[in-house]
Amino acid sequence: MTEDDQEGGSTPESGRGAAPAPRHTRRLSDKILIAFHHACDQADFEVAEELLRILEMMLTRRPASPDTNRRKNLESLVAAHERLWLLRHPEVKDQ
């Protein structure tokens, strides 16, 4: 299997009427949150902070359509802010 096959790219067989595999299985905001946690795991707090800023902008702007997961998304954003703060202030965790 080639990289194009994994990404939903076309192969000679896929042009025969078969529906292409879904290319995106996660929302962009979910991918940014995953990248934020990865940056935290790597102790790259500057990158984590920028990713968090982008995520916050995405989640707090006026949605184009009603978002049924808005509360869950905002709770994840608050938890991410809390994680970054605790990582930057480890002395508080010890108290």
Side-chain angles (χ1 to χ4, degrees), residues 32-47:
I32 292 172
L33 187 60
I34 290 167
F36 162 80
H37 285 295
H38 188 75
C40 286
D41 293 344
Q42 299 293 317
D44 194 342
F45 302 138
E46 288 180 43
V47 169

Side-chain angles (χ1 to χ4, degrees), residues 26-59:
R26 294 182 187 244
R27 297 174 301 168
L28 179 57
S29 59
D30 294 336
K31 291 179 180 181
I32 292 172
L33 187 60
I34 290 167
F36 162 80
H37 285 295
H38 188 75
C40 286
D41 293 344
Q42 299 293 317
D44 194 342
F45 302 138
E46 288 180 43
V47 169
E49 186 174 10
E50 282 300 307
L51 288 166
L52 200 51
R53 185 186 62 75
I54 292 166
L55 182 62
E56 185 171 357
M57 181 266 301
M58 291 177 66
L59 296 179

Side-chain angles (χ1 to χ4, degrees), residues 29-93:
S29 59
D30 294 336
K31 291 179 180 181
I32 292 172
L33 187 60
I34 290 167
F36 162 80
H37 285 295
H38 188 75
C40 286
D41 293 344
Q42 299 293 317
D44 194 342
F45 302 138
E46 288 180 43
V47 169
E49 186 174 10
E50 282 300 307
L51 288 166
L52 200 51
R53 185 186 62 75
I54 292 166
L55 182 62
E56 185 171 357
M57 181 266 301
M58 291 177 66
L59 296 179
T60 58
R61 68 183 170 191
R62 178 174 285 164
S65 61
D67 186 3
T68 57
N69 294 322
R70 183 166 172 78
R71 181 177 180 153
K72 181 181 168 195
N73 291 338
L74 292 176
E75 288 173 355
S76 295
L77 179 64
V78 169
H81 272 286
E82 185 175 315
R83 179 179 186 199
L84 183 59
W85 192 89
L86 287 171
L87 287 170
R88 286 189 160 170
H89 302 89
E91 69 281 357
V92 175
K93 190 170 42 175

